[in-house]
Amino acid sequence: MGMASVNTASEGMQLCIFDLRRGQQEGQELDKILFFFPADLPFATQLSVIGLSEGLITFTRIFSPDAACEVIEAERHSHVFFEAESDIWMVMVVEKSKESKAACQVDALRKVLKEVHSLFVLFHGTMRSMLEKETSGGLIRSHLYPFITDYLSDFLIGKKLQLPSFHDCLMERGTVQMLTVGREAAIEVQSLVKVLECSAGTTSCYSLVLFQDLLVSTTLSPDDTISLFTYAVLRWFRGNDGFLASDIWGADNGSQTSVTPIVYLQLTEERMYLCAYQYKRLTIILLVPVSSILNGEQGLSLVKQQVLENVCVLSVPASLKMLRVEEKLSKGWGGENAYHVSGYRYLLVDDERVSRASPPAKVMTLAKDSLLAMSKLREEVNLEKRAKCSTSEVNSDKELEICVRAKNGAWVIARTSRGKELYMVLEKASETLLYASDAVEKFSNRYCSGVFSLD
Amino acid sequence: MSSSDSSSSSASDDPNPKLKPQPLESQFQSSLTLEDSDGVARTDDASVAEQQQEQQDEGSGNGSVDGVVNVEDNGHRDSSDREEGIGSGEARDGDGGSGGGGGVVWRRANSEVELEVEAPASPSSSGYAGGRGSSGASSASRADDASEEDEIEVVGNDDGGAVGAPDSQAEWTPGKRHVDEDDASISWRKRKKHFFILSNSGKPIYSRYGDEHKLAGFSATLQAIISFVENGGDRVKYVKAGMHQVVFLVKGPIYLVCISCTEEPFESLVAQLELVYGQMILILTKSLNRCFEKNPKFDMTPLLGGTDVVFSALIHSFSWNPAAFLHAYACLPLPYATRQAAGAILQDVADSGVLFALLMCKHRVGTSLKVISLVGAQKASLHPDDMLLLGNFIMSSESFRQVTSESFSPICLPRYNPMAFLHAYVHYFDADTYLILLTTRSDAFYHLKDCRIRIETVLLKSNVLSEVQRSTLDGGMRVEDLSVDLQQHTGSTSRVEDKPHTETPERIRESSLVGLGGPAGLWHFLYRSVYLDQYVSSEFSSPINTHRQQKRLYRAYQKLYVSMHSKGIGPHKTQFRRDENYVLLCWVTPDFELYAAFDPLADKALAIKTCNKVCQWVKDVENEIFLLGASPFSW
């Protein structure tokens, strides 16, 4: 992607990563910087951004030793902080547009930082371990630069970076979206997963099954699932062997090599080969431990062969599993607007990991004022959630119900209950609070197994 | 200003150490004098002695124009009266003697500090009251129990309910505490809400906790943050870290900072900083900017000498006085005719060259002001924030509070005219009721005195003062008195016994299902009349009867207010909010705003109905609870 154009047109945003354990001696400050976007900004400016960030981190620790600076809100800019790894900070400085002034999506921006970090870790392991491997910092810089600029290019619309804003208040970054499957299809999927994970012989593998851009099945940990799902939805292209390949970590060299990507699992830091295969709308991802494959690529190609034979090859009648599952899921799938509920614009978040929402095209029909009000409401709910976390019982689920009738007459509603969150905009509801509450109740009973129902 | 405070513990044997005021002319000079009850100046450190000397040198003879006149009526003073009344070498102006049977002392009321509590409300409070200002963690922790003002973060603090907490803010003791702390102290770092005023060169001017002088380094850091961002062509609004918020407000050469972990929204905190700044302007006027223009390193601390108590009282009020976030004032409920009578005589004096005439009274609990009547000269209107700041200034200053004494002090109303001093004549008719006459003329003391005598005569004749006392005892609207049958409300705020008997059985029975309070689980409400700039608040009743619960409700209202009025997208029309503590309902219309708190289990439909009834009730009794048609409030 043409990141050169981003560099020149990126007045609106700066992103830096720095390591507080480096460059503490005078004259060596540049050593702190692991990444800076745009890279063509003068060093003095880069250092000034990092200097302010570092100063505020130190300052806020006086009062809040456990949670240092998270955001600096200034008239014209928001500085969003994320301590990705111990002493390694990511700071994004975003210029406020006129319309986002009312409600800056700080939480959404922090999730962007979190996401780019977890993706980096997925493919490269932690930044700290890379820094320990190669202390000059050259290695990590050479990895971060192509990785993050590539990631950022997804936000590029024309020549402008379109970062999360109030328009995105009815979606939740860092969650997976699931396909609802019928009982019969579920059994088919189950069987497919079994066969898939046996492809590498006795080795224990993990798998992920996606339909379209929805998750169908996973045997990975939740965090790894989110990272892989995020990445899978972002991009793939078809490699030479029919398996999917990716260029996210290989820079723009265009070499569609048959080198299989290796990913790091978060909890175990285990390294896994990532093999992805697509049949129509169905994608299967198989993770095979690197340690279990003796001859590298050669050994892996045998596993791939096995996968194909087990589940994919159409000529082998016994292994039409993938085809069958795809057919079954397609039949049950309601299409792009499958999860649209007429009259409602909603976001449902389960346990902060799984979300379901109105289709973006439907959300776009909402008035700007409704979106701004929802954006603001989400900010308030986030504050309440955090306050709850910090003050009292661990993992106590905040029970909260907020119904706001905005200036434009729309009802903007938030409900949290038993770890689930529901956000809803009702523009055509009638005037009364009772009617709006009733609408939530109906939705809850129908789509959330009554979690948000009061009675 | 902290040097005097730090000496307070050593002076604890002294029942009433006081900072003596100075003439206005010398207000830009340093002036701090400690004086004991004998009227003998005493100093606790060299700098104070120097300042005192300076004040004595400059004070004599030039206080007559802008100083405060404090005319003591000796006949009403008893030996236990700790108020000094006698200047420490300040000018005792000959003219003043003719003022009113006692000596006239020209003084700056804003230069005083209170280091002693008034008689403690209960024996239990004496334990910490005497120890105020003393050093040591033990006194801090005791004070924390007594008042959340001093609270140090404790996990779950706010959820702890009322264990060990006193039930009324009456026990709050004014003045600065924990002066021995600085930014290196753990206890200081854990205070829940800091306020700082500093100059743009980084010089500390005021800190809520700790000694300003010891906080010079910290102050410089705050200044560095502000100017760093400023140099980048931007202006820092706030910084967040965990539950902490650092909120910045730049007012020309004055920087104000609040560091808080109270979960109050940014908008509330910045509004509080605005009020703190306004309080400073009220004392000094905005012309202090000129001092900074002349000398950027200008040291302002001496100017505010002794006003710690004013700021700390204001900051304390941010935790319980709805006027601070509603930008409205409250009236004492009074029969319509009584208020009319008071208004008429105030109008009379206003026509004779008084800019504003305010008859106020102190709320039973705390030092909240309630307006009995208020009149402005033609076209002049008084902003509710100015009233809040003026009331706070007068009520937190001990010298004003001397019953039957008269004070004449320069003050500035920041919303009215931030550049100019007005002159306030203050007189207490009794312990709770006082009169403020504001004028632009510095030589109007005797005229205002005459006005006061006229007013007093009329008030006594028409029984206004006794009605005021009765109302203060009776209190205001009670949620228990809200009945289902609104027909029964015939325009009276009076309580059950005054009502027709028929209505009692008509009360909504649901209330018994969901707890105490009023019908449908109504616990409390606030009603703000938009056009009148006035609000009425129901009395706290069960189960909101501890200070901690009241403060929590106050904070919830404050949050709701900010949510309803969010910048750019507000105001919203309605909001219903249910959490583990309450059901809150808010309704904003062009005419009024209603904030109501219910039992968290309250039924939604009944709660809505009840809110409608509250609005009707308020309308029914608006003649008594609001000041109507006094003067055009148009700003």
Side-chain angles (χ1 to χ4, degrees), chain B residues 103-125:
Chain B
V104 180
V105 184
W106 301 96
R107 57 207 301 260
R108 278 276 300 160
N110 61 24
S111 309
E112 70 183 78
V113 70
E114 293 168 58
L115 296 170
E116 189 57 58
V117 224
E118 291 181 272
S122 69
S124 65
S125 70

Side-chain angles (χ1 to χ4, degrees), chain A residues 63 67 70-71 73-77 372 380 384 386-388 390-391 400-405 407 437, chain B residues 155-156 233-235 237-244 563 570 572-578 580 604:
Chain A
F63 299 95
E70 288 160 15
V71 65
E73 201 67 56
E75 212 104 302
R76 291 177 44 222
H77 297 90
L372 282 170
E380 280 177 36
E384 296 279 343
R386 289 177 44 163
K388 189 75 186 173
S390 73
T391 51
L400 187 65
E401 175 183 7
I402 306 178
C403 307
V404 175
R405 183 137 200 262
K407 203 165 58 178
S437 301
Chain B
V155 172
D234 209 339
R235 180 170 277 200
K237 288 161 70 183
Y238 64 85
V239 173
K240 269 190 189 173
M243 290 318 294
H244 276 81
S563 168
H572 297 322
K573 293 178 173 174
T574 320
Q575 181 159 171
F576 174 91
R577 182 181 281 247
R578 187 198 299 273
E580 67 274 26
K604 207 176 269 172

Side-chain angles (χ1 to χ4, degrees), chain B residues 224-428:
Chain B
I225 293 169
I226 294 168
S227 60
F228 195 100
V229 178
E230 233 161 45
N231 291 342
D234 209 339
R235 180 170 277 200
V236 62
K237 288 161 70 183
Y238 64 85
V239 173
K240 269 190 189 173
M243 290 318 294
H244 276 81
Q245 248 186 117
V246 189
V247 177
F248 299 88
L249 180 67
V250 173
K251 289 284 184 183
I254 304 294
Y255 293 170
L256 299 105
V257 182
C258 173
I259 301 179
S260 145
C261 61
T262 54
E263 294 173 34
E264 288 168 273
F266 159 75
E267 290 84 349
S268 305
L269 296 176
V270 85
Q272 291 168 14
L273 286 177
E274 289 276 3
L275 286 171
V276 170
Y277 177 71
Q279 189 74 76
M280 199 178 86
I281 295 303
L282 184 132
I283 297 169
L284 295 175
T285 79
K286 217 174 163 181
S287 55
L288 66 94
N289 287 6
R290 281 202 291 267
C291 300
F292 285 97
E293 280 162 25
K294 277 185 214 152
N295 173 16
K297 299 245 152 127
F298 178 65
D299 183 6
M300 237 183 77
T301 7
L303 292 188
L304 289 168
T307 54
D308 271 342
V309 65
V310 177
F311 288 102
S312 65
L314 178 69
I315 291 166
H316 177 63
S317 78
F318 296 156
S319 300
W320 60 265
N321 187 353
F325 71 85
L326 283 178
H327 306 290
Y329 64 91
C331 286
L332 185 76
L334 279 177
Y336 183 67
T338 307
R339 205 189 307 280
Q340 286 288 93
I345 179 64
L346 293 186
Q347 185 63 57
D348 228 28
V349 304
D351 294 340
S352 75
V354 173
L355 188 60
F356 294 110
L358 299 92
L359 187 58
M360 322 269 263
C361 87
K362 200 167 82 179
H363 192 266
R364 287 169 299 142
V365 188
T367 50
S368 152
L369 66 87
K370 291 208 169 181
V371 171
I372 297 163
S373 189
L374 125 78
V375 159
Q378 254 189 334
K379 300 231 166 131
S381 60
L382 200 49
H383 193 283
D385 286 356
D386 279 349
M387 290 170 68
L388 174 77
L389 296 173
L390 180 62
N392 179 65
F393 178 65
I394 287 170
M395 281 191 289
S396 60
S397 309
E398 178 74 23
S399 69
F400 284 119
R401 280 213 299 266
Q402 294 310 302
V403 174
T404 73
S405 77
E406 303 167 275
S407 306
F408 192 55
S409 168
I411 56 105
C412 165
L413 295 179
R415 297 283 196 144
Y416 182 73
N417 181 353
M419 295 308 292
F421 268 121
L422 295 174
H423 301 272
Y425 172 94
V426 180
H427 174 82
Y428 271 73

Side-chain angles (χ1 to χ4, degrees), chain B residues 120-151:
Chain B
S122 69
S124 65
S125 70
S126 61
Y128 62 87
R132 180 165 41 84
S134 67
S135 54
S138 61
S139 82
S141 58
R142 259 177 296 150
D144 288 341
D145 287 342
S147 159
E148 289 178 75
E149 280 313 294
D150 276 333
E151 63 203 341

